């Protein structure tokens, strides 16, 4: 292996990449856009139900419920409640009659007004009507003779939910890696279209140097951008070496995919076609982090799952080497397999 | 302009173009986006708490739960299946109902149920699910609520679901990908492969080549546009007027595509321009997504005049007189672009010769 030739190839590819206006523009703009979007997304989760109550005093049972996720605000008038609803300060408003408890105890049916803002989803209104009915049952002490054994599955995140921006991070990392792969494939495709790949094979440079050079350029660019994204979004505060190792393995994996895409493409349009398909497939596991429960076990068959799961567990759940070690091993094996397969198919096609 | 030559070029465009990536992309993307939006808005983006039930007997609870609109209810065959679904977050809460559950409830005997709670479920979902489950059990045991609830809506305004808000973006995506991208990429590819120069050395003129490519874009865009409106059940009360509007919108998109194709010499530059113009093209659809933004903001962008009539006819059942002004502006914009295209095309013909 002649490392001087490899280094020359890497420098040449970096120059070519930034000469390609489309991919250079998309890469730089994309990185800034991802960081911008991250900070625009909500950094916290609104978990409590904010309820406005028109009543003289808070019924005792309501006071106890404040600790379980009900955020109650006592209001003086209907006008104030309506204004708070329109301003979005409260989710729903309940108007309690002055003599509610006395009426309930006497057994007569009481009328309660439930206030919704005009833009409150129609299909969710039932939930808040039912909620109030149950609160009234609790006020009157009418409990059901049911014993429920409740088991919390997974880490109980009540009060400490993962904000949407942190759930988006693995998806962004995969997107950044994949866009770079499209850049690498376009470089190879351009070399084929212009005939320079065949010319390169006629020089003393061996196939090994060529593929190591191309792979290093592609994986390097992908890794640097993904790492910059994670640094800018504060993802390296915990286990930085672990996160960087996962991103490096991810970069090697997408480089292998890039080689495969290049070997199956005729021109830049084909690269775009295969590239979009690859981005969609490799991004699927990120959606299982964004929308838990969307996919079943088959999602583990997609290689990027092991990258997404590692980044998600380390950044959002504080996992360490022990918890994600199996993921890293799987990612390493898959990266080597895709790199080997990509190099073999490219070599077979263009030699 | 020879109609036979235009026809031959048009068929060539369809036969060759239908195998290209962009053509397939233009057909598939709107369909996939429709399916994904429906899937996500029906469950995940609905904001509804999700309840899973395993009924080991013949309880009425699952059927009653399905009648409640504010819940997403799923039934599971076994305890282990339910537990797995809760573990991976497919449902927020899982309830295992033992055999004879309803009877024990009616007889006021103490009854035990297992409930699984997903650790990542929101507190508000837990509260709503908890109260709804108790409400269902009271329904089964026949206990009547001591209160009558009167819902009151405060304020006036348009309440749009996310499905309705995203629909204009889907329409725009459908019209633009098929109408703009297909003619633009086809024209640029002809330039890059130098087949455009070869074509104009035959009796075919640049105008005929442009017209054939534009017609292919209009046909594809109209076909996919109408199909997307059909599968979204958004055909409104004036189907004839809607189809005419979609054809005009497709003509606008195709003329824009030909203009972009004329301006650029390679695919890289074309994609760079499209990325740069993307926000301007899709801006009216983004304005529709947020009703807080005044409507006049959308009217600044030319693509508003292709989108607004389609939305008004499909969702508001507007008549011709109600969308007449927008359609007239759309036609005027198409004519203006055709004039610019004619001038640019003439210069291109001189270069090609």
């Amino acid at each position: 292996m002649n490392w001087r030739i490899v280094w020359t190839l890497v420098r040449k590819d970096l120059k070519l990449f930034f000469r390609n206006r489309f991919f250079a523009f998309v890469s730089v703009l994309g990185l800034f856009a991802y960081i911008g979007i991250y900070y625009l997304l909500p950094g916290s989760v609104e978990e409590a139900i904010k309820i406005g109550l028109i009543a003289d005093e808070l019924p005792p049972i309501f006071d106890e419920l404040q600790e379980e996720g009900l955020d109650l605000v006592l209001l003086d008038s209907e006008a104030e409640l309506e204004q708070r609803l329109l301003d979005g300060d409260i989710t729903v408003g309940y108007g309690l009659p002055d003599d509610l408890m006395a009426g309930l105890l006497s057994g007569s049916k009481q009328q309660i007004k439930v206030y919704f803002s005009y833009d409150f989803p129609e299909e969710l209104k039932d939930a808040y009507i039912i909620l109030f009915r149950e609160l009234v049952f609790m006020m009157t002490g009418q409990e059901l003779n049911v014993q429920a054994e409740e088991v919390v599955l997974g880490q109980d995140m009540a009060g400490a939910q993962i904000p949407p921006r942190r759930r988006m991070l693995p998806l962004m990392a995969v997107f950044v890696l994949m866009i770079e792969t499209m850049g690498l494939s376009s470089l190879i495709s351009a070399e084929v279209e212009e005939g320079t790949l065949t010319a390169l094979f006629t020089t003393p440079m061996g196939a090994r140097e060529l593929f190591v050079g191309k792979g290093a350029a592609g994986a390097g660019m992908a890794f640097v951008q993904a790492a910059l994204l994670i640094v800018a979004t504060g993802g390296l505060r915990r286990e930085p070496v672990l996160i960087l190792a996962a991103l490096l393995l991810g970069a090697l994996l997408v480089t292998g995919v890039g080689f495969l895409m290049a070997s199956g493409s005729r021109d830049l349009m084909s690269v775009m076609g295969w590239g979009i398909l690859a981005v969609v497939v490799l991004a699927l596991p990120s959606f299982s982090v964004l929308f838990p429960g969307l996919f079943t076990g088959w999602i583990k068959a997609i290689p990027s799952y092991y990258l997404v799961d590692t980044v998600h567990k380390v950044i959002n759940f504080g996992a360490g080497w022990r918890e994600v070690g199996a993921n890293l091993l799987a990612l390493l094996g898959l990266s080597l397999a895709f790199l080997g397969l990509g190099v073999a198919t490219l070599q077979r096609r263009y030699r | 302009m020879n109609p036979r030559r235009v026809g031959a070029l048009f068929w060539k465009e369809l036969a060759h173009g239908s195998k290209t990536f962009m053509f397939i992309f233009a057909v598939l993307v709107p369909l996939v986006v429709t399916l994904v939006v429906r899937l996500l808005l029906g469950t995940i983006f609905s904001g509804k708490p999700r309840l899973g039930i395993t009924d080991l007997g013949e309880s009425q609870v699952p059927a009653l739960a399905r009648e409640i609109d504010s819940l997403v209810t799923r039934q599971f065959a076994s305890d282990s299946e339910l537990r797995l679904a809760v573990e991976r977050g497919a449902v927020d809460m899982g309830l295992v109902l033992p055999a004879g559950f309803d009877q024990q409830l009616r007889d006021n005997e103490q009854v035990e149920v297992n409930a699984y709670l997903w650790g990542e479920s929101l507190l508000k979902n837990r509260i709503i699910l908890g109260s709804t489950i108790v409400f269902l059990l009271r329904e089964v045991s026949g206990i009547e609520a001591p209160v009558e609830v009167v819902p009151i809506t405060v304020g006036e305004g348009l309440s749009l679901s996310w499905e309705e808000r995203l629909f204009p973006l889907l329409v725009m995506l459908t019209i633009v990908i098929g109408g703009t991208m297909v003619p633009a990429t086809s024209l640029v590819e002809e330039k890059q492969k130098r087949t455009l120069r070869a074509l104009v050395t035959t009796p075919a003129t640049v105008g005929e080549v442009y017209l054939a490519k534009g017609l292919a874009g209009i046909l594809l865009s109209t076909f996919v546009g109408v199909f997307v409106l059909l599968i979204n059940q958004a055909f409104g009360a004036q189907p004839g007027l809607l189809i005419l509007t979609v054809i005009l919108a497709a003509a606008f998109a195709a003329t824009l595509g030909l203009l972009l194709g004329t301006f650029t010499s390679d695919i890289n530059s074309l994609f760079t321009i499209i990325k740069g113009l993307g926000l301007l093209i899709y801006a009216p659809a983004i304005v529709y997504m947020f009703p807080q933004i005044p409507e006049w903001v959308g009217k600044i962008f030319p693509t508003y005049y292709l989108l607004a009539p389609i939305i008004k006819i499909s969702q508001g059942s507007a008549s011709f007189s109600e969308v007449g002004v927008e359609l007239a502006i759309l036609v005027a914009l198409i004519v203006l672009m055709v004039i610019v295209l004619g001038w640019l095309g003439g210069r291109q013909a001189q270069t090609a010769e």
Side-chain angles (χ1 to χ4, degrees):
Chain A
M1 177 81 70
N2 186 331
W3 292 104
R4 264 188 60 199
I5 293 177
V6 172
W7 176 236
T8 310
L9 270 174
V10 170
R11 278 173 52 204
K12 176 190 81 75
D13 276 348
L14 288 178
K15 267 189 194 166
L16 270 176
F17 181 85
F18 285 102
R19 204 183 289 166
N20 181 326
R21 278 179 290 173
F22 173 59
F23 287 113
F25 177 75
V26 169
S27 302
V28 177
L29 184 82
L31 190 58
F32 279 105
Y34 287 131
I35 296 169
I37 289 168
Y38 176 86
Y39 284 105
L40 283 175
L41 284 169
S44 60
V45 178
E46 187 56 71
E47 276 206 274
I49 299 174
K50 289 184 177 167
I51 295 176
L53 274 179
I54 308 173
D56 295 334
E57 59 177 335
L58 209 58
I61 188 78
F62 281 49
D63 211 13
E64 290 166 24
L65 289 169
Q66 298 236 45
E67 291 162 17
E68 290 176 30
L70 284 186
D71 192 352
L72 297 159
V73 186
L74 213 55
L75 302 168
D76 294 330
S77 65
E78 197 171 348
E80 191 187 353
L81 185 143
E82 289 185 2
Q83 195 52 53
R84 292 278 195 119
L85 266 179
L86 292 174
D87 293 345
D89 293 343
I90 52 174
T91 318
V92 63
Y94 297 122
L96 312 186
D98 294 340
D99 51 354
L100 176 67
M101 274 313 283
L104 288 173
L105 292 172
S106 70
S108 65
K109 202 157 192 168
Q110 299 295 298
Q111 199 181 62
I112 308 286
K113 289 178 183 168
V114 182
Y115 297 82
F116 297 102
S117 169
Y118 68 90
D119 56 357
F120 191 89
E122 198 62 40
E123 66 275 15
L124 288 180
K125 286 183 177 175
D126 268 358
Y128 291 89
I129 292 172
I130 290 170
L131 173 65
F132 193 77
R133 280 195 185 134
E134 283 316 309
L135 291 175
V136 172
F137 271 119
M138 288 169 79
M139 284 161 73
T140 55
Q142 292 184 56
E143 290 190 11
L144 282 171
N145 200 6
V146 175
Q147 190 74 38
E149 194 185 324
E150 201 174 88
V151 181
V152 177
L153 300 177
Q155 195 172 328
D156 194 348
M157 303 294 283
Q161 296 289 344
I162 302 163
R165 62 161 69 154
R166 299 278 288 270
R167 285 192 181 273
M168 279 291 280
L169 210 46
L171 176 70
M172 288 176 174
V174 170
F175 263 65
V176 167
L177 291 174
M178 278 312 298
I179 292 290
E180 288 318 304
T181 309
M182 283 166 75
L184 172 70
S185 305
S186 83
L187 282 179
I188 298 171
S189 177
E191 296 237 36
V192 174
E193 274 190 285
E194 289 160 18
T196 48
L197 192 72
T198 318
L200 278 172
F201 275 128
T202 59
T203 67
M205 181 198 67
R208 271 204 311 177
E209 278 93 353
L210 177 74
F211 292 117
V212 169
K214 293 270 176 210
M221 280 189 293
F223 171 72
V224 167
Q225 291 200 42
L228 281 174
L229 171 77
I230 298 285
V231 169
T233 51
L236 284 192
R237 284 192 202 118
R238 268 192 55 82
E239 298 282 3
V241 180
L242 175 51
I243 292 279
L244 290 175
L247 290 180
L248 185 61
L249 291 175
L252 291 176
L253 172 77
V254 294
T255 302
V257 175
F259 281 160
L260 278 173
M261 273 160 47
S263 67
S265 305
R266 281 175 290 119
D267 50 28
L268 191 73
M269 285 302 284
S270 316
V271 169
M272 292 288 295
W274 285 113
I276 288 170
L277 181 68
V279 169
V280 169
V281 172
L282 291 182
L284 280 179
S286 321
F287 287 97
S288 66
V289 171
L290 268 179
F291 312 113
L294 189 61
F295 304 112
T296 49
W298 62 265
I299 201 72
K300 291 182 183 174
I302 297 176
S304 55
Y305 169 84
Y306 302 96
L307 169 65
V308 168
D309 196 49
T310 303
V311 173
H312 176 51
K313 279 182 176 158
V314 175
I315 291 179
N316 295 325
F317 290 94
W321 288 92
R322 189 189 298 247
E323 289 90 346
V324 294
N327 272 356
L328 288 180
L329 275 178
L331 195 56
L332 175 68
L334 286 163
S335 303
L336 293 177
F338 270 87
L339 269 176
L341 197 65
V343 168
T345 48
L346 259 185
Q347 211 165 356
R348 200 174 152 195
R349 180 160 178 196
Y350 296 117
R351 194 77 208 240
Chain B
M1 190 76 66
N2 183 325
R4 275 189 61 192
R5 277 202 298 267
V6 174
L9 286 166
F10 172 70
W11 285 117
K12 182 214 106 189
E13 199 63 38
L14 285 186
H16 171 75
S18 60
K19 293 172 203 150
T20 62
F21 156 70
M22 196 47 76
F23 198 98
I24 297 163
F25 194 66
V27 175
L28 284 182
V29 165
L31 302 183
V32 171
V33 172
T34 302
L35 292 176
V36 169
V37 165
R38 294 216 146 207
L39 172 77
L40 294 183
L41 292 181
T43 53
I44 292 150
F45 286 162
S46 67
K48 296 178 184 178
R50 295 158 299 164
L51 174 67
I53 301 176
T54 294
D55 182 11
L56 302 176
E58 288 181 350
S59 173
Q60 282 181 287
V61 174
L64 289 171
R66 274 194 295 273
E67 284 173 20
I68 298 177
D69 273 349
S70 51
L71 288 188
V72 174
T73 306
R74 288 177 65 186
Q75 208 163 341
F76 295 87
S78 66
D79 188 333
S80 56
E81 253 184 58
L82 177 69
R83 197 184 162 100
L84 209 63
V86 178
E87 255 171 355
R88 64 183 179 85
V91 288
D92 290 293
M93 193 183 272
L95 196 64
V96 186
L97 303 173
F101 176 76
D102 289 9
Q103 197 51 50
Q104 282 176 295
L105 207 60
R106 285 190 200 107
D107 297 343
N108 202 24
E109 288 173 25
Q110 179 154 349
V111 52
E112 284 183 14
V113 291
N114 287 336
Y116 300 119
L117 191 64
W118 179 44
E120 291 178 52
S121 70
L122 300 177
L123 277 176
K124 60 181 170 190
N125 286 350
R126 296 182 190 189
I127 293 171
I128 289 172
L129 283 170
S131 61
T132 309
I133 289 168
V134 179
F135 164 80
L136 291 171
L137 304 190
R138 287 195 205 277
E139 287 273 293
V140 172
S141 39
I143 301 169
E144 207 183 327
V147 285
E148 186 196 335
V149 177
V150 184
I152 295 169
T153 301
V154 175
E156 279 181 12
L158 199 58
S159 172
L160 289 175
S161 66
W162 269 103
E163 217 162 350
E164 288 167 319
R165 289 181 194 200
L166 286 170
F167 183 66
L169 189 65
L170 177 65
V171 170
M172 192 67 105
L173 202 70
T174 308
I175 303 286
V176 170
I177 294 181
T180 304
M181 298 292 282
V182 169
T185 50
S186 168
L187 192 57
V188 171
E189 276 196 327
E190 297 255 24
K191 280 196 215 170
Q192 274 190 292
K193 291 177 183 165
R194 308 209 174 147
T195 45
L196 186 65
R197 184 171 286 192
L199 264 176
V200 293
T201 56
T202 69
T205 63
V206 168
E208 287 165 353
V209 174
Y210 273 43
L211 184 59
K213 289 189 187 302
L215 285 175
I218 293 172
L219 183 74
L220 175 67
S221 187
T222 306
F223 175 76
V224 183
V226 168
F227 189 63
V228 163
L229 288 169
L230 269 175
I231 58 174
N232 279 282
Q233 295 158 342
F235 232 67
Q238 309 254 10
L241 181 61
L242 185 64
I243 291 173
L244 174 74
T245 311
V246 172
I247 292 171
L248 284 176
F252 175 95
T255 320
L256 179 67
L258 289 173
L259 263 180
L260 293 177
T262 310
F263 272 124
T264 46
S265 54
D266 61 89
I267 292 284
N268 291 339
S269 312
L270 176 70
F271 280 114
T272 308
I273 291 175
I274 286 172
K275 271 197 79 71
L277 285 178
L279 190 64
L280 295 177
I281 292 173
Y282 291 104
I286 295 167
V287 171
Y288 266 106
M289 279 166 70
F290 303 99
Q292 301 92 327
I293 304 175
E295 201 188 350
W296 65 263
V297 176
K299 288 182 181 175
I300 297 170
F301 303 95
T303 45
Y304 170 85
Y305 300 94
L306 77 84
L307 184 63
I310 296 177
I311 301 303
K312 284 181 182 173
I313 301 165
S314 62
Q315 292 195 328
S317 293
S319 63
F320 183 77
S321 60
E322 287 168 290
V323 292
V325 176
E326 278 110 340
L327 287 181
I329 295 173
L330 181 62
V331 171
L333 286 169
I334 295 170
V335 171
L336 186 71
M337 284 198 294
V338 168
I339 292 169
V340 176
L341 196 59
W343 178 67
L344 283 172
R347 286 182 57 182
Q348 193 121 64
Q350 283 173 351
T351 317
E353 281 159 16

